[in-house]
């Protein structure tokens, strides 16, 4: 690893994360998940899952003296999973927050594992030095700022420019917010390629998106109350795509220049 943590210390964290991935995704049968959702705290599968998570972690750590880490992993895993299911049953009656709950659930599990790892190796001072050295780093912050720009800020800017044409199109057959997510993902990919100086990959991205346009609807197909215009739809997509690509490429080049 780096000078902050030794390979042995890093190995412990990786083993804990491997144990989490194995037990949370590969070693959890579907009927366990259904049982947890239906009965929550009363479900035996919730407790089986927590115990299995701790057992696998203990096997990978292979140290009897780490029993207290295993006990905390079991307890925290049961509490986090049970709480997540309980919250999901309350709020999902009105809205679907499955993705948000999943992300929060995984972040909590991983955060707990990192804290336990730091306690196990007594690495608080090392982590403090690491955080204070990297977070104020100008180069890292500038790259993070670039990624943030590529998400909603640039998306709203493009939306304001292209909204004059949206009334001429029938977007009922499109997935909700699909265009916004596609735009964010392509801009993040582009600025990443520029950061690592892989400009050729941007060409492949453009080619891949161009091929998808071939599957678009033909001219003059009825869509609801109006006639679908493939030409107008294609022109709208091209305007948005070229704006998105141009802004992402320009931003990436400016950031690379500032980092020199």
């Amino acid at each position: 690893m780096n000078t902050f943590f030794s390979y042995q210390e890093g190995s412990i964290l990786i083993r804990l994360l491997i144990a989490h991935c194995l037990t949370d995704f590969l070693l959890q049968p579907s009927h366990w998940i259904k049982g947890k959702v239906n009965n929550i705290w009363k479900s035996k599968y919730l407790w089986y899952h927590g115990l299995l998570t701790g057992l696998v972690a203990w096997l990978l750590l292979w140290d009897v003296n780490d029993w207290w880490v295993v006990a905390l992993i079991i307890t925290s895993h049961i509490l986090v999973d049970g709480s997540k299911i309980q919250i999901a049953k309350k709020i999902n009656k009105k809205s679907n927050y499955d993705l948000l709950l999943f992300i929060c659930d995984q972040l909590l599990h991983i955060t707990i594992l990192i804290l336990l790892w730091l306690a196990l190796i007594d690495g608080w001072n090392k982590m403090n030095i690491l955080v204070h050295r990297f977070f104020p780093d100008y180069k890292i912050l500038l790259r993070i700022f670039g990624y943030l720009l590529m998400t909603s800020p640039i998306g709203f800017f493009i939306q304001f420019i292209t909204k004059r044409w949206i009334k001429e199109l029938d977007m009922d057959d499109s997935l909700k917010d699909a265009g916004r997510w596609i735009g964010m993902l392509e801009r993040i990919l582009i600025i990443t390629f520029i950061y690592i100086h892989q400009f050729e990959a941007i060409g492949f991205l453009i080619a891949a998106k161009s091929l998808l346009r071939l599957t678009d609807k033909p001219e003059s197909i009825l869509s609801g109350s109006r006639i679908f215009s493939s030409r107008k739809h294609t022109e709208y997509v091209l305007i948005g795509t070229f704006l998105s690509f141009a802004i992402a490429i320009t931003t990436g080049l400016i950031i690379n220049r500032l980092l020199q």
Side-chain angles (χ1 to χ4, degrees):
M1 295 186 72
N2 50 46
T3 56
F4 294 99
F5 299 103
S6 67
Y7 284 100
Q8 185 177 2
E9 291 170 338
S11 172
I12 294 172
L13 176 61
I14 298 302
R15 279 179 273 169
L16 289 172
L17 293 175
I18 289 173
H20 170 70
C21 290
L22 286 173
T23 53
D24 231 27
F25 300 104
L26 298 178
L27 301 179
Q28 186 173 197
S30 57
H31 68 275
W32 282 24
I33 299 172
K34 291 179 182 177
K36 291 194 301 181
V37 171
N38 292 332
N39 300 309
I40 313 180
W41 304 109
K42 294 180 181 179
S43 173
K44 61 183 179 181
Y45 299 118
L46 175 64
W47 302 90
Y48 288 171
H49 177 59
L51 289 169
L52 180 63
T53 302
L55 178 61
V56 173
W58 205 353
L59 288 172
L60 291 181
L61 289 175
W62 202 253
D63 192 337
V64 177
N65 295 323
D66 295 338
W67 62 269
W68 60 274
V69 174
V70 174
L72 289 173
I73 288 174
I74 292 171
T75 305
S76 64
H77 208 95
I78 291 172
L79 288 174
V80 170
D81 276 15
S83 300
K84 183 198 75 171
I85 297 168
Q86 201 167 31
I87 293 170
K89 282 196 170 184
K90 291 181 179 179
I91 66 175
N92 276 351
K93 293 178 180 178
K94 297 181 179 179
S95 303
N96 190 349
Y97 290 98
D98 285 341
L99 177 60
L100 179 61
L101 286 170
F102 172 77
I103 293 172
C104 291
D105 170 70
Q106 293 302 314
L107 285 176
L108 272 173
H109 286 315
I110 293 171
T111 301
I112 290 168
L113 290 177
I114 292 174
L115 292 175
L116 289 173
W117 167 65
L118 289 172
L120 187 62
I121 66 170
D122 194 20
W124 302 107
N125 289 332
K126 291 182 179 180
M127 179 58 74
N128 186 47
I129 295 171
L130 185 67
V131 170
H132 281 85
R133 176 171 294 190
F134 281 95
F135 270 84
D137 187 272
Y138 166 75
K139 293 182 178 181
I140 294 175
L141 291 175
L142 191 56
R143 287 191 176 98
I144 292 173
F145 176 65
Y147 280 123
L148 290 175
L149 275 180
M150 295 304 102
T151 56
S152 294
I154 300 302
F156 283 122
F157 176 73
I158 294 173
Q159 184 180 346
F160 287 139
I161 293 177
T162 58
K163 69 178 181 180
R164 70 181 74 178
W165 298 294
I166 195 70
K167 294 180 181 179
E168 300 181 32
L169 302 172
D170 187 351
M171 307 297 288
D172 293 338
D173 64 332
S174 298
L175 296 174
K176 184 180 178 181
D177 295 331
R180 181 167 65 91
W181 283 99
I182 291 170
M184 284 195 294
L185 290 171
E186 71 185 15
R187 288 191 295 273
I188 288 171
L189 285 173
I190 289 169
I191 201 168
T192 301
F193 293 147
I194 293 175
Y195 283 165
I196 61 177
H197 301 284
Q198 294 295 323
F199 300 100
E200 299 86 352
I202 300 174
F204 285 109
L205 189 61
I206 295 172
K209 191 165 185 179
S210 300
L211 288 173
L212 290 176
R213 301 306 310 147
L214 296 176
T215 63
D216 204 356
K217 292 183 178 180
E219 188 77 31
S220 300
I221 291 182
L222 286 175
S223 177
S225 59
R226 71 179 81 175
I227 294 178
F228 180 89
S229 173
S230 177
R231 181 173 180 177
K232 286 183 178 180
H233 192 267
T234 301
E235 289 172 344
Y236 175 80
V237 171
L238 284 174
I239 291 171
T241 298
F242 286 142
L243 275 172
S244 184
F245 275 60
I247 293 170
I249 291 171
T250 303
T251 304
L253 291 174
I254 290 173
I255 290 175
N256 273 1
R257 181 65 177 174
L258 293 173
L259 291 175
Q260 290 179 356

